Amino acid sequence: MTVIPYIFVLLGAMLWGTTGTAQTFLPDNAHPFIISAGRSATGGIPLLIVMILLKKFKFRSWAWKETLYAAICISLFQLLFFSSVRLTGVAIASVVAIGSAPVFSGMVEWIFFKMRPTRVWGLSTGLAIVGCLFLFLTKGEVTIDPVGISYSLIAGLIFAFYTLTSKSLLQKEEAIPVVAMTFSLSAFLLTPFLFVYDISWLADAGNVGIIFYLGLATTSVAYVLYGWGLRKIPASSALTLSLAEPTTAALLGVVVVGEILSATSWVGIGLLLGSIVILTVGSKANKESKQVEV
């Protein structure tokens, strides 16, 4: 196995990490539920139309059950995650949600699928969790809301289930049609919120442009890259690599938004990057050693 699948997942996670920064350019009355609905719609529906025109769908034989599960998971994840962001901030929400996902995934794979996590996964995930804790230590500058943290933890669990469901789905279908169908269904599930919350801010072309960026870059492109990589590597490894998201978000916060990171935050970023290197290089080394033994 080459390192390419790991790089795809890593690039997808880095694109996810731009989500928080992009949101800072939206007005205060932009409700997270509407952002989620718009993101799913612009990320899934245009891609779905293209795939239909290219005749990439076999509707009769399509894995509808797995797709529906994936759409429900990603819809719930977005609602919980963006709600958590409102309560406890982008940085903490990202760290807790994405940081907990690989742990939940490893546990689910072990308990339900009898797939015991590798030592490389254990080491890289442990290092990543410590890195997340360092990012968490912000000297009281961030409000820690228990409800927001709970939302993030549940979001992390749901994202783990989304990844496992998507991995199963990607064994049957191609990555791009999977992303197109999953997010189109997600947009449909989230549509009722458009009639509940204020959408007047969407009259501004700049705000619409940001929604399209969130849909096309952080959804279509990011999840296609994630899907391509996920087909070839364990779900737990993909989730550990997804920890590049809070790292990217933190770095963009410094460069674009002008936030000032403490020394502990920089240590956390270093540990997260180290976990990614260990997982990527270590997994490749394990695979090559097994091939030599054979």
Side-chain angles (χ1 to χ4, degrees):
M1 181 187 296
T2 68
V3 75
I4 298 300
Y6 293 88
I7 293 176
F8 280 159
V9 171
L10 186 60
L11 290 174
M14 291 174 68
L15 281 172
W16 291 337
T18 67
T19 302
T21 301
Q23 281 184 278
T24 63
F25 294 100
L26 290 173
D28 293 337
N29 63 329
H31 197 280
F33 285 17
I34 302 301
I35 296 173
S36 300
R39 185 186 183 206
S40 291
T42 56
I45 295 175
L47 205 58
L48 178 65
I49 294 172
V50 172
M51 290 297 98
I52 291 175
L53 292 176
L54 293 177
K55 299 181 180 179
K56 292 292 184 179
F57 283 111
K58 296 180 180 178
F59 289 95
R60 292 185 178 180
S61 60
W62 185 265
W64 289 107
K65 183 171 70 174
E66 289 91 340
T67 305
L68 179 59
Y69 290 160
I72 291 173
C73 285
I74 203 61
S75 297
L76 290 174
F77 169 78
Q78 290 190 91
L79 296 181
L80 286 164
F81 175 72
F82 288 124
S83 295
S84 176
V85 167
R86 269 205 156 188
L87 292 172
T88 196
V90 175
I92 298 302
S94 298
V95 167
V96 175
I98 305 302
S100 64
V103 179
F104 285 130
S105 176
M107 293 171 61
V108 170
E109 286 184 334
W110 193 354
I111 295 172
F112 294 101
F113 300 99
K114 310 303 179 183
M115 296 171 59
R116 188 168 184 172
T118 64
R119 291 182 179 179
V120 171
W121 174 87
L123 177 60
S124 62
T125 299
L127 195 63
I129 291 173
V130 174
C132 287
L133 290 175
F134 271 94
L135 282 179
F136 192 83
L137 298 174
T138 55
K139 298 181 180 180
E141 295 173 3
V142 175
T143 302
I144 307 301
D145 188 292
V147 176
I149 296 296
S150 299
Y151 284 169
S152 288
L153 286 171
I154 298 172
L157 175 61
I158 290 175
F159 191 75
F161 276 110
Y162 164 77
T163 298
L164 293 169
T165 302
S166 292
K167 185 169 181 63
S168 174
L169 181 57
L170 288 165
Q171 304 305 312
K172 303 176 182 179
E173 311 291 351
E174 295 181 12
I176 297 178
V178 163
V179 171
M181 185 61 75
T182 299
F183 279 92
S184 293
L185 280 177
S186 172
F188 175 76
L189 294 173
L190 295 172
T191 296
F193 292 115
L194 295 174
F195 301 96
V196 177
Y197 298 103
D198 178 26
I199 60 173
S200 61
W201 54 275
L202 288 173
D204 183 272
N207 294 335
V208 173
I210 294 172
I211 292 296
F212 268 93
Y213 171 80
L214 291 173
L216 298 177
T218 73
T219 303
S220 295
V221 176
Y223 279 91
V224 166
L225 288 170
Y226 188 72
W228 279 342
L230 186 60
R231 295 185 71 176
K232 302 294 184 180
I233 66 177
S236 54
S237 295
L239 284 165
T240 299
L241 284 171
S242 69
L243 290 166
E245 177 182 348
T247 305
T248 302
L251 292 173
L252 286 176
V254 172
V255 177
V256 179
V257 183
E259 296 177 349
I260 299 175
L261 293 179
S262 64
T264 54
S265 295
W266 285 114
V267 171
I269 290 173
L271 290 172
L272 282 167
L273 291 174
S275 73
I276 292 169
V277 172
I278 289 174
L279 181 62
T280 305
V281 177
S283 298
K284 182 182 179 183
N286 280 347
K287 183 66 177 181
E288 290 176 348
S289 65
K290 289 180 181 179
Q291 290 176 343
V292 171
E293 291 175 1
V294 173

